[in-house]
């Protein structure tokens, strides 16, 4: 039976037609530095070929037969995520009215074309064979954000109970678990919980809401679990999510962590819905001195 796949074009990422994807970078090959990892990848590829003979599948991006993700589309995803960039400038909830950065964000790529199709297939249709490839892209953005300093604590944005029950998994947690394994010394702390004001969960999602409505909806919707506060108190943290749009969700996560005593250095996402106004690759420290990053995303169909 063919796996569900997304349409070849979607308005969510067709709105950036003038963006030129960066050329593939040799940095992605560093993920296969050890012989054991290379052997594992070869065995996994061989197993995938055998499985394709028994259970034919179509590429989630272009529909090519016998591949959940064909080599051509895989190369395009590597190109789209080859150069992580600073993305907070296009997220209004993360910028003050005077241009001060409230929370710096590094994105692995722009939410469009093959990257968007692969992420949607992973999230909505359980295409878990895409997890490793998307996890490598997220790991690249995390490396750029962390820079050369001590590895920060990585905190995933929580998924609502309704979304978790519908999917059976949390996309952000799975991708971050894969990415963290590629970052020696990194620590993952799942300390945020999703709850509405006064502990009442907010029904519905945020799709179709404007900036003000999104910000109002998520305000007070997250908190650090009481028993987990000692794990992040005074600790430098980076928030991790899958897609960035207005920045309202990331701002709320940062507020909750700050209230719990953490030092929020910034955030990392797999994809941003808008391209950078200017190419500013590099770590989160590039924005230091332009605002208070300890005080303070949102995405198409978040928590659907």
């Amino acid at each position: 039976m063919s796996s569900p796949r997304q349409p070849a074009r979607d308005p969510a990422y067709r709105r950036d037609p003038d963006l030129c994807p960066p050329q593939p970078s040799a940095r992605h090959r560093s993920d296969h530095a050890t012989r054991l990892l290379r052997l594992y990848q070869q065995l996994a590829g061989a197993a995938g070929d055998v499985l394709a003979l028994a259970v034919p599948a179509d590429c989630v991006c272009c529909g090519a037969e016998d591949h959940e993700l064909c080599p051509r589309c895989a190369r395009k995803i590597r190109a789209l995520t080859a150069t992580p960039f600073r993305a907070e400038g296009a997220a209004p909830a993360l910028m003050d009215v005077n241009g001060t950065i409230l929370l710096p964000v590094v994105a692995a790529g722009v939410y469009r074309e093959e990257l968007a199709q692969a992420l949607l297939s992973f999230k909505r249709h359980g295409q878990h064979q895409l997890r490793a490839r998307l996890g490598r892209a997220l790991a690249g953005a995390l490396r750029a954000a962390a820079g050369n300093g001590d590895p920060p604590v990585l905190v995933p944005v929580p998924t609502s109970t309704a979304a978790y029950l519908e999917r059976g998994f949390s996309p952000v947690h799975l991708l971050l678990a894969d990415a963290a394994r590629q970052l020696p010394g990194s620590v993952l702390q799942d300390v945020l919980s999703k709850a509405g004001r006064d502990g009442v969960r907010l029904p519905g999602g945020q799709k179709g809401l404007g900036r003000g409505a999104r910000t109002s909806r998520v305000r007070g919707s997250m908190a650090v679990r009481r028993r987990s506060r000692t794990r992040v108190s005074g600790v430098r943290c980076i928030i991790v999510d899958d897609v960035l749009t207005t920045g309202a969700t990331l701002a709320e996560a940062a507020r909750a962590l700050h209230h719990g005593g953490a030092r929020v250095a910034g955030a990392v996402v797999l994809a941003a819905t808008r391209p950078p106004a200017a190419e500013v690759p590099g770590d989160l420290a590039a924005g230091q001195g332009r605002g208070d990053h300890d005080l303070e995303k949102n995405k198409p169909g978040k928590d659907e």
Side-chain angles (χ1 to χ4, degrees), residues 33-301:
T34 68
R35 294 181 179 179
L36 182 60
L37 185 55
R38 287 197 297 270
L39 177 60
Y40 171 80
Q41 293 293 337
Q42 292 169 0
L43 292 176
D49 292 339
V50 173
L51 184 61
L53 294 176
V55 185
D58 295 343
C59 175
V60 299
C61 296
C62 69
E65 295 182 352
D66 299 332
H67 291 280
E68 290 86 355
L69 186 66
C70 72
R72 176 175 174 271
C73 291
R75 287 194 298 271
K76 287 189 175 182
I77 290 177
R78 287 198 298 271
L80 288 168
T81 58
T83 308
F85 59 88
R86 290 286 295 275
E88 71 276 356
L94 304 180
M95 301 290 292
D96 204 348
V97 291
N98 61 3
T100 300
I101 297 173
L102 300 177
L103 184 74
V105 182
V106 171
V110 177
Y111 186 81
R112 57 171 294 169
E113 297 174 346
E114 289 78 13
L115 179 57
Q117 291 168 348
L119 181 53
L120 286 174
S121 294
F122 173 71
K123 291 176 59 176
R124 298 181 181 177
H125 303 294
Q127 299 285 358
H128 287 249
Q129 71 278 4
L130 302 172
R131 172 180 170 179
R133 191 170 301 279
L134 296 176
R136 285 198 294 272
L138 181 60
L142 287 167
R143 289 192 196 94
N148 298 321
D150 294 333
V153 167
L154 308 177
V155 180
V157 168
T159 298
S160 71
T161 300
Y164 186 87
L165 291 176
E166 179 181 350
R167 296 185 181 122
F169 67 98
S170 168
V172 175
H173 287 70
L174 289 184
L175 293 177
L176 180 54
D178 257 34
R181 284 194 289 267
Q182 302 172 46
L183 303 170
S186 64
V187 177
L188 195 160
Q189 293 286 10
D190 185 14
V191 299
L192 288 175
S193 62
K194 190 94 167 183
R197 299 172 183 82
D198 300 323
V200 178
R201 294 191 180 278
L202 299 173
Q206 302 182 87
K207 190 174 183 178
L209 298 180
R211 171 192 173 186
R214 290 178 186 239
T215 301
S216 177
R217 185 179 188 82
V218 301
R219 187 177 295 120
S221 65
M222 297 183 204
V224 175
R225 300 184 187 92
R226 290 190 178 183
R227 295 181 179 180
S228 302
R229 289 192 175 186
T230 57
R231 291 153 57 184
V232 294
S233 181
V235 175
R236 178 172 174 261
C237 299
I238 287 181
I239 305 166
V240 183
D241 209 350
D242 51 4
V243 182
L244 169 72
T245 55
T246 69
T249 300
L250 284 182
E252 170 58 18
R255 182 207 61 78
L257 283 170
H258 178 74
H259 185 70
R263 294 188 297 111
V264 181
V268 170
V269 296
L270 177 61
T273 57
R274 301 174 181 87
E279 293 295 333
V280 191
D283 57 43
L284 296 177
Q288 299 289 342
R290 287 186 285 175
D292 184 358
H293 301 158
D294 287 340
L295 297 179
E296 303 277 300
K297 157 193 143 180
N298 224 359
K299 57 205 176 198

